[in-house]
Amino acid sequence: MTLPPLVQAFVLHFGEMGSRWGINRSVGQVYALLYLSPEPLNADQIVAALGVSRSNVSMALRELQAWNLVLLRHLPGDRRDHFTTPDDVWVILRTLAEERKKREIDPTLTVLRELLMQSPGSEDERHAQARIRAMHAMIEQLTGWYDEVKRLPNERLAALLRLGAGVTRLLETADRVVAFAKPARPAATTESQWTKESP
Amino acid sequence: MTLPPLVQAFVLHFGEMGSRWGINRSVGQVYALLYLSPEPLNADQIVAALGVSRSNVSMALRELQAWNLVLLRHLPGDRRDHFTTPDDVWVILRTLAEERKKREIDPTLTVLRELLMQSPGSEDERHAQARIRAMHAMIEQLTGWYDEVKRLPNERLAALLRLGAGVTRLLETADRVVAFAKPARPAATTESQWTKESP
DNA sequence: GCGTTATTTCAGGAATTTCTGGAACTCCAT
DNA sequence: ATGGAGTTCCAGAAATTCCTGAAATAACGC
């Protein structure tokens, strides 16, 4: 089975990028193929299309399932598992974000929290803990934002993206409204309390 | 040289996470150490602290410099290079985002654009190209948003994060204002108003 | 049950990445 | 120049990751 040049190029690119994205070449290629395929493919079709071993495809599919990046389809009258990707790219984006957060951020957040519980035994440790606290605070803020944003329906999310930095125009307006309502409030920035330890 | 337990734990964790973050253990450890260190360290101090080879540290530092994640300091009366990390975590975040985009997204964007230039030779290719177009459009939208947001000063960025999904409340409000100002427009949805207005 | 087909597991070989020690290079002070 | 401190480069060793073929397991129709 030989792929159309366009598909071939896409598949190869995803294979190459795989290593940068934290997946291996086969996983990247299988995903790319499924994404472009007009209909669900079974494992043997993938083997034929990519020219890798059957077991390799099996492992790649497992990995993709662990990432929630492929869907299992059963065609009528066919025992074999067929696979597709979600066709809404926004769904794919959400999945990717969620899984990467789970793998790349959550473990660190846990460790940072643990380290912040310890009481520092030296001046250096005190300093280290302050640095860790700064990092922790930033990550918490980011994940908090993410947790809210991910609940938005697609159209809302898209609207937000289109608005881009323009949001700040709205923020300014809202700010002025607040300032008008409560003129006494002092302006505290998030990071100012941590930047006092400059070299 | 033996590190305080707190620092040790942090350093080891960054070493372990390194592989998930697309850097190697040594790079992760060196970065973690520099981040926590109360003052700039030279290569030999890093060697002593981490117990890895001199050349390994050298390569790790090169890599970190390629990522713009470390700063080079020259202490008076000392020829050796000393290294630190930026102490503002928001600067670090921006750097990370920028570099990851450059490595993980931009190459793909280029390839997708190229593939979209080709004229499809078959029905399958036509379908594939449509899928590629969808992916391309999403990535463009994301990077467009990112390019705008990254220009915001820290406080603005922090404000945005604090607001979280609450932005959509503002969007709704703004929408109603627009709808109120131009009631003749038939059944406009929230985002359609902003589409044309966010250049 | 039994044979057939589909899928998964797994040991070990292949490929890639990481790490090391040492040689080479650069820069500066003498 | 020369010596020495600091740094980088590089070839091979070590470690890790990836891929395969063969064997095991599962699922179904008969």
Side-chain angles (χ1 to χ4, degrees):
Chain A
M1 184 189 192
T2 164
L3 296 171
L6 190 75
V7 177
Q8 171 113 334
F10 184 83
V11 164
L12 290 181
H13 175 74
F14 267 56
E16 282 168 22
M17 293 299 287
S19 52
R20 300 198 194 182
W21 295 337
I23 58 178
N24 65 42
R25 186 176 37 197
S26 308
V27 174
Q29 290 188 351
V30 169
Y31 181 78
L33 181 67
L34 293 178
Y35 178 76
L36 292 192
S37 172
E39 60 226 282
L41 299 179
N42 65 44
D44 282 326
Q45 292 174 305
I46 299 172
V47 167
L50 300 182
V52 298
S53 76
R54 181 55 232 272
S55 49
N56 197 359
V57 168
S58 177
M59 291 168 88
L61 288 170
R62 278 181 117 253
E63 175 102 3
L64 287 171
Q65 283 177 291
W67 277 79
N68 283 308
L69 279 174
V70 294
L71 301 173
L72 216 147
R73 285 285 164 75
H74 274 141
L75 304 189
D78 193 337
R79 272 167 58 195
R80 293 170 297 184
D81 289 343
H82 287 241
F83 300 87
T84 350
T85 61
D87 38 58
D88 182 347
V89 289
W90 294 99
V91 170
I92 295 172
L93 176 68
R94 287 166 191 271
T95 305
L96 274 176
E98 190 65 21
E99 296 292 330
R100 281 188 89 145
K101 171 174 176 291
K102 192 158 64 185
R103 288 167 172 74
E104 303 183 5
I105 302 192
D106 291 349
T108 295
L109 216 38
T110 305
V111 168
L112 296 187
R113 270 196 272 265
E114 283 168 13
L115 295 180
L116 288 176
M117 304 285 285
Q118 300 183 14
S119 44
S122 65
E123 196 45 49
D124 279 357
E125 281 202 319
R126 190 174 305 278
H127 173 266
Q129 214 167 38
R131 301 288 287 150
I132 292 174
R133 195 170 297 117
M135 182 179 284
H136 178 260
M138 183 200 59
I139 299 178
E140 283 280 20
Q141 209 165 12
L142 274 180
T143 55
W145 173 82
Y146 166 74
D147 283 339
E148 290 206 23
V149 167
K150 78 178 177 195
R151 290 205 207 90
L152 296 176
N154 279 356
E155 326 88 61
R156 277 291 147 80
L157 188 54
L160 214 60
L161 289 182
R162 270 194 299 276
L163 195 54
V167 181
T168 50
R169 284 199 303 272
L170 284 178
L171 280 182
E172 275 173 40
T173 311
D175 238 17
R176 275 198 295 276
V177 173
V178 172
F180 179 71
K182 300 186 165 195
R185 179 180 297 195
T189 63
T190 315
E191 72 280 11
S192 63
Q193 45 186 331
W194 299 115
T195 45
K196 58 186 170 189
E197 26 147 12
S198 44
Chain B
M1 186 189 192
T2 165
L3 297 171
L6 190 74
V7 176
Q8 171 114 336
F10 183 84
V11 164
L12 290 181
H13 175 74
F14 267 56
E16 285 168 20
M17 293 299 286
S19 52
R20 301 198 194 183
W21 296 337
I23 58 178
N24 66 41
R25 185 176 38 195
S26 308
V27 174
Q29 290 188 351
V30 169
Y31 181 78
L33 181 67
L34 292 178
Y35 178 76
L36 293 191
S37 171
E39 61 226 281
L41 299 178
N42 64 44
D44 283 328
Q45 291 173 305
I46 299 173
V47 167
L50 300 182
V52 296
S53 76
R54 181 55 231 271
S55 49
N56 198 0
V57 168
S58 177
M59 291 167 89
L61 288 171
R62 279 179 122 255
E63 174 103 4
L64 287 171
Q65 283 177 291
W67 278 79
N68 282 309
L69 279 173
V70 295
L71 301 173
L72 215 147
R73 286 285 163 75
H74 274 141
L75 305 189
D78 193 335
R79 268 169 60 193
R80 291 171 298 184
D81 290 343
H82 287 242
F83 300 88
T84 350
T85 62
D87 38 57
D88 182 345
V89 287
W90 295 99
V91 170
I92 295 172
L93 176 68
R94 287 165 189 272
T95 305
L96 274 177
E98 190 64 21
E99 295 294 328
R100 283 189 88 148
K101 171 174 177 290
K102 191 159 60 184
R103 287 166 173 74
E104 303 183 5
I105 301 190
D106 291 349
T108 294
L109 216 38
T110 304
V111 169
L112 296 187
R113 268 197 274 265
E114 282 168 14
L115 295 180
L116 288 177
M117 304 285 284
Q118 301 183 12
S119 44
S122 66
E123 196 45 50
D124 279 359
E125 281 202 320
R126 191 175 302 279
H127 174 266
Q129 214 168 37
R131 302 288 288 150
I132 292 173
R133 194 170 296 117
M135 181 179 285
H136 178 260
M138 183 198 60
I139 299 179
E140 283 279 20
Q141 209 164 14
L142 274 179
T143 55
W145 174 82
Y146 166 74
D147 283 339
E148 290 207 23
V149 166
K150 79 179 178 196
R151 291 205 205 89
L152 297 175
N154 280 354
E155 325 88 59
R156 276 292 147 79
L157 188 53
L160 212 62
L161 289 182
R162 271 194 300 276
L163 196 54
V167 181
T168 51
R169 284 198 303 274
L170 282 178
L171 281 182
E172 278 174 38
T173 310
D175 198 35
R176 273 198 298 275
V177 171
V178 173
F180 178 73
K182 301 187 168 192
R185 184 162 297 189
T189 62
T190 307
E191 67 275 14
S192 65
Q193 296 298 330
W194 293 105
T195 320
K196 17 202 127 156
E197 193 168 314
S198 60

